[in-house]
Amino acid sequence: MERRRYLAALGGSVATLVGGTAAANATRVDITLDGRLHRADGDPAATTKTVTDSAVEYDPDSGRVRTDHGTEPFDAWARRTAIEHAAETVLSVVDRRLDEDLSGVGRGIRSLLFGLVVTVDHTVTRNRDGEVVGEPTVPMEQLLATAPRTMRATVELDGRSLERPVPVGVGHSETQYL
């Protein structure tokens, strides 16, 4: 009887942990917990990258992709390529939505608790005296409202494809010359 109770409790604990992790991953609460990022509020966007580079080859027999850096399973290669492509295109999405000059805003990829996120970076630069010498043309609040909440990135190579939702976080930082 004790064994059954123990196994039931263990099963319930595992189910709770898995359910909690799945819920946190879906909401990406780790972006908010980071302290430097806010979850973007704009409508989701989609992007597709069809790889035609002759230096990238797919072997259907092994299910692996060969590049100048070695070989790896298609899914691993495509997931990495999808997030890179999402980061490369997120600013053009924001630029189109704003319909005005977007300058002084950067982009990147950050690793958080539940995985990688694309970042839209709002950075103010100050000189040694603390005077602003560079700032984005768009206020932080407007970036938050305009940047896509999620970039749905699809990667295609030799008839195979993989689609990956990539969350987007918007961060603000200030730098000063020494």
Side-chain angles (χ1 to χ4, degrees):
M1 189 65 171
E2 289 299 314
R3 182 174 178 217
R4 285 185 190 159
R5 254 190 236 149
Y6 171 76
L7 290 175
L10 180 63
S13 297
V14 168
T16 300
L17 179 62
V18 169
T21 301
N25 198 15
T27 60
R28 291 309 302 255
V29 70
D30 58 337
I31 293 173
T32 306
L33 293 176
D34 177 71
R36 296 168 293 173
L37 291 176
H38 305 279
R39 187 71 190 262
D41 291 329
D43 291 335
T47 183
T48 300
K49 179 175 186 168
T50 301
V51 178
T52 58
D53 185 351
S54 62
V56 179
E57 295 179 10
Y58 174 65
D59 179 9
D61 295 331
S62 67
R64 298 179 69 82
V65 175
R66 185 177 58 76
T67 66
D68 294 338
H69 305 291
T71 63
E72 62 185 311
F74 174 82
D75 286 351
W77 171 84
R79 281 192 306 271
R80 187 184 75 262
T81 303
I83 196 161
E84 290 169 355
H85 184 63
E88 291 167 358
T89 58
V90 69
L91 290 184
S92 63
V93 170
V94 174
D95 192 39
R96 275 193 312 273
R97 290 177 177 182
L98 289 173
D99 197 29
E100 62 184 73
D101 180 39
L102 178 66
S103 64
V105 178
R107 54 139 173 108
I109 298 171
R110 193 173 294 173
S111 178
L112 299 177
L113 183 62
F114 295 112
L116 298 172
V117 298
V118 166
T119 62
V120 175
D121 305 314
H122 182 274
T123 304
V124 173
T125 305
R126 299 178 182 277
N127 66 15
R128 290 184 178 131
D129 298 325
E131 298 166 348
V132 174
V133 294
E135 65 182 318
T137 55
V138 178
M140 175 71 172
E141 295 74 26
Q142 193 173 10
L143 274 180
L144 277 168
T146 307
R149 184 171 180 76
T150 303
M151 290 288 294
R152 184 157 297 282
T154 302
V155 175
E156 300 171 342
L157 173 66
D158 291 340
R160 277 210 65 190
S161 67
L162 180 131
E163 182 181 280
R164 176 182 184 176
V166 182
V168 178
V170 179
H172 173 78
S173 64
E174 298 205 11
T175 61
Q176 186 167 356
Y177 299 150
L178 296 176

